[in-house]
Amino acid sequence: MAAAAATATTTVVPRCSKREGDIAGAGTSPNKGKIGRSSPPAEEVEAFLAAAESGMARRFAAKYNYDVVKDAPMDGRYEWVRVGP
């Protein structure tokens, strides 16, 4: 009996939880999604960022009654006091 128990041992092999296709570099190009793409024109980027900045300035002015473009307080909920020169 002891001889039969000694030969019936099993070996546990750890396995990875990821599939082979999910492993980075497993037959895929690192720039797969960037093929054929180029940067947008500088004018388009500038227009996009200017619109975003303008929107942020409007929301800030509406919330805190302070015009960041003119660097001046506006009439509204908060009272702004200059503390420096």
Side-chain angles (χ1 to χ4, degrees), residues 4-11:
T7 59
T9 59
T10 58
T11 305

Side-chain angles (χ1 to χ4, degrees), residues 7-70:
T7 59
T9 59
T10 58
T11 305
V12 178
V13 178
R15 294 188 177 252
C16 182
S17 63
K18 292 186 177 189
R19 295 184 311 226
E20 187 174 320
D22 293 340
I23 298 172
T28 60
S29 171
N31 295 329
K32 183 179 178 184
K34 296 183 180 182
I35 295 175
R37 293 186 183 181
S38 63
S39 298
E43 298 82 21
E44 186 177 337
V45 172
E46 192 64 35
F48 174 79
L49 294 175
E53 185 178 7
S54 173
M56 289 176 64
R58 278 195 316 271
R59 286 192 301 275
F60 185 88
K63 186 173 184 177
Y64 297 109
N65 65 287
Y66 191 87
D67 189 350
V68 293
V69 176
K70 296 178 183 176

